[in-house]
Amino acid sequence: MDPAPIERAFELVSAVRTRDGTPCRAGTMRRATPEEEIGALRDFRVFLDRRAFVPVLLSKVTRLGGEPVAVSTLAALEPRDLRTLELVYRELNAYPSEP
């Protein structure tokens, strides 16, 4: 049996602009550590609005065009792209898929 991957490539439907303004759809996500998951729960933005949890957590493990992704960028993603990232996260971290 092959071990679970620790990193996976993905492609978004909508392009996101990187820091230098280049449109980018391709990225990678790695498996989160328990400390990162707990840290996201303790983030002040999550205390203010629990909907911020997903973007805060994903910002710790996601890269687009080889660059880290800002929480604000993830929060502004199209719903289908955010859903794609959530599914990749669940797969990498061995969480069951939602129905």
Side-chain angles (χ1 to χ4, degrees):
M1 182 178 198
D2 292 331
I6 59 170
E7 187 172 282
R8 182 173 160 223
F10 62 83
E11 187 153 333
L12 301 175
V13 175
S14 304
V16 174
R17 299 230 176 247
T18 60
R19 290 182 187 163
D20 66 0
T22 307
C24 182
R25 285 191 174 104
T28 59
M29 184 181 296
R30 65 171 174 76
R31 193 180 303 160
T33 65
E35 292 81 12
E36 289 169 326
E37 291 183 335
I38 292 167
L41 287 169
R42 293 180 175 164
D43 190 284
F44 76 94
R45 293 165 287 198
V46 176
F47 278 123
L48 297 173
D49 183 355
R50 65 186 179 139
R51 293 174 297 181
F53 175 70
V54 171
V56 168
L57 179 57
L58 291 177
S59 73
K60 297 176 181 301
V61 296
T62 306
R63 296 177 77 77
L64 277 170
E67 297 288 326
V69 186
V71 173
S72 58
T73 300
L74 290 165
L77 283 178
E78 300 257 343
R80 61 186 173 194
D81 286 332
L82 189 56
R83 181 70 179 148
T84 296
L85 294 180
E86 287 180 64
L87 291 173
V88 171
Y89 182 87
R90 287 178 163 283
E91 178 186 316
L92 282 172
N93 292 281
Y95 288 112
S97 295
E98 294 178 318

